[in-house]
């Protein structure tokens, strides 16, 4: 066993002494040592119950003949961090999580790992660590939050963000805002829509790294506890059979995950994270692969923010397995790969049927291509990403004058100040991985535009990124970023920009000569941070088109 490095032989007597001091018995040390990697904390609603999920995992490990040992990692709530300095730390926290898991796992010689994440950067951070370490691993998430109820309708945190714009526009009162904010998020779990957290939890399942329905079983149900016990019990079999993450996360598995992502219309952040996870797993995954798979994958499920359904509804409809079964039947995913169940994808999906009408047939999709699109053009020569399924039809082709801002705060002041008008294209530059630094999510400006009734009239383009809760013509991950000399840094106030979703293009409508002149005159903005973690991150981070990872050199 891998843990023999810390527990076998006379020279490891001091190590065993310290393990006994932790309450372990000699009999416990005869079993596989299982690290239970938990992102439990008391401020993130998606994580406040992970102590109970972790205990259920440990019960499963004990029952299956392993010795579970928990340790924690940090976890940022993107909703709480949104719109202020804290959001600059969200994406960089992904790297801290991966590095800390690597450190703990190798320093203590674990035989296997059970990962217990739930929210945006925690899931991909742990997946990066799993791919990097390549020791037997399984994931069980904390599960999605139930939708809230307001005025007889299901609501979620997206509605509260949009209510800020509605309030500013005078469309709701103080009392209505107060009632909505206290009812929108009724309890523990990752926010109820198909935002980044639930997108990544679903794709962990599609990758084969989590048990079926990991992405959709609600956090508050007993079924979630049972799933955690089952995941804990599975890890010992994975160790015995030496099934490792790189055996599971193959080229075909990533293509399955991308196809599932397109079928459910997941968060645009999934593109950023899958690129980084693939790199850690030793898989070559170019950005244009997402576009290729999107072209052939029908959009089958509309979940908030793209529609009125929530994750609990998808679970009732059969969850991610039901979506994947539709794709497998249509020859749109590969069924041969091994998963953490010890069975193949096809074996896992055998007999799975969708329930109700929420999941459409591939012959009758919401759209014939995927819910996410990759755009190319002179404004994004290395690509840009849009949640196409959340763009209103009237914005599929848009041409308008650029309204240029160098920070999210400046754009918000203009939006809430009534300075953005129908037809405009809001451009927020210098918010990329390096220039931000940290590539902030910008749910506030997109939600403000929606709340003020402008999401069908105004496009927003940035080298930063958007929350999975964003809807509208919001194009992010524009690459190369402004801080790296990308064309988005050359856009000037009043320039005409054209967005064409049908042709997957994004272009700045100026002459080649003008482009060249501006490029010649361009100078980078001074760094926003010159000390601390963000300064180190900005100096090392790569482009969004390759996953914004730190190991570029």
């Amino acid at each position: 066993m891998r843990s023999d490095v810390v527990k076998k032989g006379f020279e490891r007597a001091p190590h065993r002494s310290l393990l006994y001091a932790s309450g372990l018995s000699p009999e416990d040390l005869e079993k596989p040592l299982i690290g239970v990697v938990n992102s439990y904390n008391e401020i993130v609603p998606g994580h406040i119950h992970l102590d109970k999920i972790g205990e259920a995992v440990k019960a499963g490990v004990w029952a299956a003949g392993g010795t579970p040992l928990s340790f924690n990692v940090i976890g940022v709530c993107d909703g709480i961090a949104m719109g202020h300095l804290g959001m600059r730390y969200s994406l960089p926290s992904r790297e801290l999580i991966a590095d800390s898991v690597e450190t703990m796992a190798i320093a203590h010689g674990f035989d296997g790992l059970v990962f217990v994440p739930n929210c945006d950067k925690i899931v991909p951070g742990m997946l990066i660590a799993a791919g990097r370490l390549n020791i037997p691993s399984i994931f069980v998430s904390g599960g999605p939050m139930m939708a809230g109820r307001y005025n007889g309708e299901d609501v979620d945190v997206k509605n509260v963000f949009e209510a800020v714009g509605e309030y500013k526009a005078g469309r709701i009162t103080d009392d209505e805002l107060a009632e909505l904010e206290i009812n929108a998020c009724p309890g523990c779990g990752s926010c109820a829509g198909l935002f980044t957290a639930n997108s990544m939890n679903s794709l962990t399942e599609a990758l084969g790294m989590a048990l079926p329905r990991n992405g959709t079983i609600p956090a508050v149900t007993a079924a979630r506890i049972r799933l955690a016990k089952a995941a804990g019990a599975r890890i010992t079999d994975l160790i015995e059979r030496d099934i490792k993450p790189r055996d599971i996360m193959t080229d075909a598995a990533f293509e399955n995950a991308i196809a599932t992502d397109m079928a459910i219309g997941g968060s645009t952040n999934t593109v950023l994270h899958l690129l980084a996870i693939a790199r850690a797993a030793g898989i070559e995954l170019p950005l244009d692969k997402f576009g290729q798979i999107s072209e052939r994958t029908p959009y089958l499920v509309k979940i908030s923010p793209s529609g009125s359904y929530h994750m609990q509804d998808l679970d009732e409809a059969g969850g991610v397995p039901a979506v994947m079964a539709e794709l497998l039947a249509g020859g749109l995913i590969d069924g041969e790969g091994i998963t953490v169940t010890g069975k193949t994808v096809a074996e896992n999906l055998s007999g799975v049927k969708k329930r109700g009408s929420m999941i459409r047939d591939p012959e009758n999709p919401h759209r014939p291509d995927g819910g996410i699109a990759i755009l190319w053009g002179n404004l994004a020569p290395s690509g840009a990403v849009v949640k196409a399924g959340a763009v209103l039809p009237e914005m599929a082709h848009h041409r308008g004058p650029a309204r240029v801002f160098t920070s999210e705060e400046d754009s918000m002041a203009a939006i809430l100040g009534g300075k953005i008008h129908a037809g405009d294209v809001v451009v927020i530059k210098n918010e990329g991985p390096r220039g931000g630094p940290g590539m902030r999510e910008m749910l506030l400006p997109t939600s403000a535009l929606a709340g003020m009734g402008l999401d069908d009239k105004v496009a927003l383009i940035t080298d930063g990124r958007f929350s999975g809760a964003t809807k509208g013509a919001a194009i992010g991950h524009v690459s190369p970023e402004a801080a790296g000399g990308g064309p988005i840094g050359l856009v000037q106030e009043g320039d005409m920009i054209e967005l064409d979703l049908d042709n997957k293009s994004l272009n700045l409508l100026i002459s080649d000569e003008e482009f060249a002149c501006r490029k010649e005159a361009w100078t980078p903005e001074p760094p926003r941070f010159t000390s601390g973690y963000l300064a180190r991150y900005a100096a090392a981070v790569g482009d969004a088109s390759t996953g914004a990872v730190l190991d570029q050199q």
Side-chain angles (χ1 to χ4, degrees):
M1 290 190 287
R2 291 174 178 83
S3 60
D4 288 351
V5 71
V6 298
K7 65 185 187 183
K8 290 292 185 181
F10 73 91
E11 69 272 32
R12 296 298 186 243
H15 305 63
R16 290 192 295 273
S17 180
L18 292 167
L19 291 167
Y20 296 150
S22 299
L24 298 181
S25 68
E27 292 75 22
D28 293 333
L29 296 189
E30 292 300 317
K31 304 171 184 177
L33 298 186
I34 310 300
V36 180
V37 189
N38 200 320
S39 55
Y40 164 75
N41 62 49
E42 294 185 336
I43 190 168
V44 182
H47 296 191
I48 58 174
H49 64 306
L50 294 188
D51 55 341
K52 297 178 178 63
I53 301 296
E55 288 302 316
V57 166
K58 290 167 67 177
V61 173
W62 283 119
T67 297
L69 298 163
S70 296
F71 64 90
N72 285 78
V73 298
I74 62 170
V76 170
C77 176
D78 282 17
I80 297 172
M82 196 75 65
H84 60 89
L85 175 62
M87 181 47 75
R88 298 197 188 281
Y89 286 86
S90 175
L91 182 59
S93 75
R94 186 187 73 180
E95 312 309 314
L96 293 176
I97 291 164
D99 289 349
S100 63
V101 174
E102 176 188 347
T103 299
M104 288 294 288
I106 293 178
H108 300 102
F110 288 114
D111 295 296
L113 298 171
V114 182
F115 291 89
V116 186
N118 215 30
C119 290
D120 295 25
K121 308 309 164 300
I122 298 86
V123 181
M126 289 185 179
L127 281 166
I128 289 168
R132 191 188 295 173
L133 289 164
N134 201 34
I135 64 175
S137 300
I138 190 170
F139 282 67
V140 58
S141 305
M145 185 185 293
M146 300 295 286
R149 295 288 291 175
Y150 174 72
N151 281 346
E153 295 183 352
D154 285 349
V155 293
D156 55 53
V157 71
K158 167 189 68 69
N159 299 92
V160 189
F161 276 100
E162 291 178 359
V164 173
E166 293 180 285
Y167 180 82
K168 182 64 179 179
R171 296 163 67 180
I172 61 172
T173 66
D174 289 276
D175 289 344
E176 288 172 323
L177 180 61
E179 185 179 355
L180 175 61
E181 70 181 57
I182 206 165
N183 286 295
C185 300
C188 68
S190 46
C191 297
L194 190 64
F195 313 146
T196 306
N198 289 325
S199 296
M200 286 307 306
N201 286 327
S202 297
L203 296 192
T204 302
E205 182 180 337
L207 274 171
M209 290 297 294
L211 296 177
R213 292 181 59 215
N214 175 73
T216 59
I217 294 175
V220 295
T221 61
R224 178 58 59 173
I225 298 297
R226 292 194 293 270
L227 187 76
K229 289 180 180 177
R234 280 297 312 151
I235 189 64
T236 55
D237 182 65
L238 293 172
I239 291 169
E240 288 174 10
R241 296 173 61 180
D242 200 28
I243 298 175
K244 301 183 290 295
R246 293 193 182 194
D247 300 322
I248 296 169
M249 293 195 290
T250 61
D251 290 274
F254 277 97
E255 293 199 9
N256 285 353
I258 295 170
T260 303
D261 199 14
M262 298 304 166
I264 63 177
S267 165
T268 53
N269 286 314
T270 58
V271 177
L272 191 75
H273 296 321
L274 286 174
L275 289 168
I277 297 161
R279 186 183 181 90
I283 299 295
E284 185 176 342
L285 183 62
L287 182 61
D288 60 8
K289 178 70 75 174
F290 290 82
Q292 294 167 14
I293 295 174
S294 180
E295 287 290 336
R296 66 176 188 250
T297 307
Y299 182 27
L300 303 180
V301 182
K302 277 202 167 193
I303 305 173
S304 176
S306 303
S308 59
Y309 289 114
H310 289 85
M311 296 304 292
Q312 66 206 60
D313 302 310
L314 180 57
D315 191 58
E316 291 177 11
V320 173
V323 177
M324 293 182 70
E326 292 293 315
L327 297 175
L328 182 65
L332 297 168
I333 60 173
D334 182 271
E336 299 303 311
I338 194 72
T339 72
V340 291
T341 65
K343 301 176 182 178
T344 66
V345 172
E347 288 171 333
N348 288 341
L349 299 179
S350 178
V352 171
K353 301 290 184 183
K354 64 180 181 178
R355 297 187 289 272
S357 59
M358 179 185 179
I359 302 170
R360 290 198 174 187
D361 297 326
E363 298 77 23
N364 181 37
H366 291 287
R367 52 185 291 154
D369 56 356
I372 296 174
I374 308 299
L375 308 181
W376 309 89
N378 68 1
L379 192 52
S382 296
V385 184
V386 62
K387 191 166 188 172
V391 179
L392 293 168
E394 51 265 46
M395 290 298 294
H397 184 271
H398 182 78
R399 179 185 295 190
R403 305 297 310 281
V404 182
F405 305 94
T406 56
S407 72
E408 177 188 12
E409 289 81 0
D410 290 347
S411 73
M412 274 297 290
I415 293 167
L416 295 179
K419 297 179 181 179
I420 302 301
H421 307 291
D424 286 346
V425 178
V426 175
V427 177
I428 308 175
K429 57 186 181 180
N430 295 317
E431 287 285 8
R434 188 192 316 175
M439 201 181 181
R440 287 191 288 181
E441 283 187 357
M442 286 176 271
L443 180 57
L444 285 177
T446 57
S447 297
L449 288 171
M452 298 173 78
L454 291 172
D455 58 326
D456 61 344
K457 303 175 183 70
V458 173
L460 196 156
I461 298 170
T462 181
D463 52 6
R465 59 196 179 92
F466 297 110
S467 166
T470 287
K471 66 178 183 179
I475 297 92
H477 307 200
V478 173
S479 300
E481 64 174 297
I488 191 171
L490 308 179
V491 180
Q492 297 180 4
E493 186 79 9
D495 285 346
M496 295 300 290
I497 292 176
E498 183 174 46
L499 160 68
D500 187 343
L501 285 188
D502 292 334
N503 291 303
K504 308 295 189 292
S505 65
L506 182 65
N507 287 292
L508 177 62
L509 304 181
I510 62 174
S511 68
D512 293 342
E513 292 78 14
E514 177 65 16
F515 233 124
C517 287
R518 292 186 189 182
K519 183 68 175 176
E520 182 69 24
W522 177 81
T523 55
E525 296 284 334
R528 287 188 168 111
F529 295 86
T530 56
S531 63
Y533 178 50
L534 289 183
R536 298 197 304 276
Y537 179 85
V541 71
D543 199 64
S545 62
T546 55
V549 296
L550 295 185
D551 57 343
Q552 292 292 311
Q553 301 303 319

